[in-house]
Amino acid sequence: MAQTGAVPVVDVSQLDDPRSLADAIKSTLNSTGFLFLTGHGLEAQAERMFEISERFFREETDEEKQRCAYKDNKGYTRVSQEVLDPSKPAPDLKEGFNASYIAPGEGAHPPVPSQPLPNLLQDHADELAAFQHGCFSICQRLLQAFAVALDLPVDFFTSQHHEGPDSRSILRFLHYPAIPAGAAVDPNRAGAHTDYGSLTCLFQRQTGGEGLQILPSSEPLEGGKWRDVGMVEGAMLMNIGDAIEPVWSGANFKSTLHRVVLPTPLPADGVPERFSIAWFNQPSPTASLKTCVPVSSISPEDRERMARKGVEPGKEVTADEHLQARLASTYKLVK
Ligand SMILES: O=C(O)CCC(=O)C(=O)O
Ligand SMILES: [Fe+2]
């Protein structure tokens, strides 16, 4: 398997059946939990999403952004409004927009978002809906492989995910503003965190794209060595989230801590802006999250990882209960 920085790279264009995909990715799911996928088929659409995202952050009026301000995990967050690592005093130097499910348009019927969209995104709602569907489909393919890798029925996870207005999955546009030369800022673009859903697809851009780091589960939480994820042109970065790691897989698969940092010391000529796009794939709100491997097989270290995230092996929670608990304990917004 090819490797760049801390994260392996897998070409998935030929891995059509769940078994061959599972064989190619299983060892990574058990270790770093992060994987670059090439040949995923969404390259051109992702590039379009970056164009739309760039226009949105640069050209949309403040009034429109505020009309669609963050509520219930949807909408616009201002620079320095979000705190992904509440144990640190510095808020994140980024702005974002969370778009929930958009029903695709059909014939004369326009697409229907399930939240207010700012004008500039509403104009591209059809493309956003198609991209959301593309991301959901890749995740279903990956979730089939996850099930096979855990010796579960192939539809074990996919049957607990769906598309629709009540889905909790989110398409997120992120913009990290440029840091001017000589600025005195905390190196925090996005604080250390794990993602909450079943898995995340992340698209990065070559320009200003550096800065994403992971703390592999083999490293101690305090003083452990963070690794650069690096960049693979056109690739999609996949990572496991907290619905899979501590809950469903009994910590067999790893939901790895990650963050986005500025270089230290800051380069004399400043740091360019950075854009990224994430698809946070969430189980259906009523999905039952219960450890799916024998509880007796879970190692003491993995039990500790589960306990840190407030998960009791074998206890059943709904995906919504899990999501609300994770948001409440690890996510903060500055008013
Ligand atoms: O922008 C990035 O590269 C990562 C963002 C991230 O990890 C997140 O929003 O959960
Ligand atoms: Fe993340």
Side-chain angles (χ1 to χ4, degrees):
M1 203 185 290
Q3 179 106 13
T4 161
V7 175
V9 186
V10 173
D11 177 353
V12 295
S13 58
Q14 307 296 317
L15 303 174
D16 291 327
D17 67 294
R19 167 54 63 194
S20 53
L21 185 53
D23 289 345
I25 67 178
K26 186 172 176 178
S27 64
T28 307
L29 303 177
N30 289 327
S31 52
T32 56
F34 268 76
L35 187 65
F36 278 114
L37 306 181
T38 56
H40 51 78
L42 286 179
E43 294 80 358
Q45 272 175 287
E47 198 37 48
R48 262 303 284 161
M49 289 299 112
F50 276 117
E51 287 166 18
I52 294 168
S53 161
E54 224 180 300
R55 277 203 60 202
F56 167 70
F57 288 116
R58 287 199 210 300
E59 296 171 24
E60 187 56 280
T61 62
D62 285 344
E63 202 182 342
E64 269 302 279
K65 286 175 178 163
Q66 283 318 317
R67 181 176 69 82
C68 303
Y70 182 93
K71 196 172 169 226
D72 296 335
N73 206 29
K74 302 171 185 179
Y76 175 71
T77 49
R78 303 182 310 273
V79 176
S80 296
Q81 189 182 5
E82 201 172 44
V83 187
L84 275 180
D85 181 359
S87 72
K88 298 267 158 56
D92 297 356
L93 293 172
K94 67 170 190 295
E95 58 182 334
F97 191 89
N98 282 9
S100 56
Y101 178 74
I102 302 170
E106 257 188 77
H109 299 285
V112 184
S114 29
Q115 70 186 83
L117 287 182
N119 292 333
L120 227 147
L121 296 182
Q122 179 67 44
D123 289 348
H124 299 285
D126 253 330
E127 284 175 274
L128 265 62
F131 190 66
Q132 289 181 333
H133 178 66
C135 290
F136 176 80
S137 305
I138 290 184
C139 288
Q140 289 292 79
R141 224 177 117 192
L142 286 163
L143 286 166
Q144 284 190 336
F146 291 3
V148 169
L150 288 164
D151 293 325
L152 297 165
V154 68
D155 66 348
F156 184 87
F157 296 121
T158 52
S159 62
Q160 307 230 46
H161 289 73
H162 78 286
E163 292 177 285
D166 65 335
S167 156
R168 301 288 188 259
S169 296
I170 291 289
L171 174 63
R172 177 163 229 211
F173 290 162
L174 284 160
H175 175 227
Y176 303 81
I179 306 296
V185 292
D186 189 276
N188 181 41
R189 274 185 151 170
H193 67 283
T194 49
D195 294 343
Y196 315 118
S198 45
L199 70 150
T200 302
C201 304
L202 185 83
F203 301 84
Q204 306 183 87
R205 244 190 173 175
Q206 206 75 16
T207 332
E210 298 297 321
L212 181 61
Q213 296 184 325
I214 58 172
L215 185 69
S217 58
S218 51
E219 291 288 330
L221 283 179
E222 287 304 322
K225 187 171 177 302
W226 287 83
R227 315 278 161 88
D228 290 327
V229 166
M231 175 78 67
V232 176
E233 183 136 31
M236 183 191 106
L237 184 66
M238 178 230 91
N239 64 282
I240 301 280
D242 288 344
I244 296 266
E245 190 224 278
V247 195
W248 259 332
S249 84
N252 256 286
F253 292 170
K254 298 296 179 277
S255 170
T256 298
L257 267 175
H258 53 286
R259 66 183 185 186
V260 183
V261 289
L262 292 164
T264 41
L266 273 183
D269 53 353
V271 182
E273 66 186 336
R274 173 176 201 273
F275 290 90
S276 65
I277 296 174
W279 169 255
F280 297 108
N281 200 62
Q282 290 283 352
S284 306
T286 56
S288 149
L289 303 190
K290 189 175 169 201
T291 319
C292 61
V293 296
V295 169
S296 57
S297 71
I298 303 172
S299 70
E301 298 80 52
D302 284 348
R303 278 173 190 268
E304 206 184 302
R305 287 176 66 84
M306 293 170 83
R308 264 202 308 269
K309 293 186 176 166
V311 175
E312 219 178 286
K315 184 171 172 218
E316 190 166 344
V317 289
T318 67
D320 239 9
E321 286 164 350
H322 165 78
L323 175 62
Q324 297 314 327
R326 294 304 292 147
L327 283 169
S329 66
T330 64
Y331 186 84
K332 220 172 93 189
L333 277 190
V334 178
K335 291 281 173 229

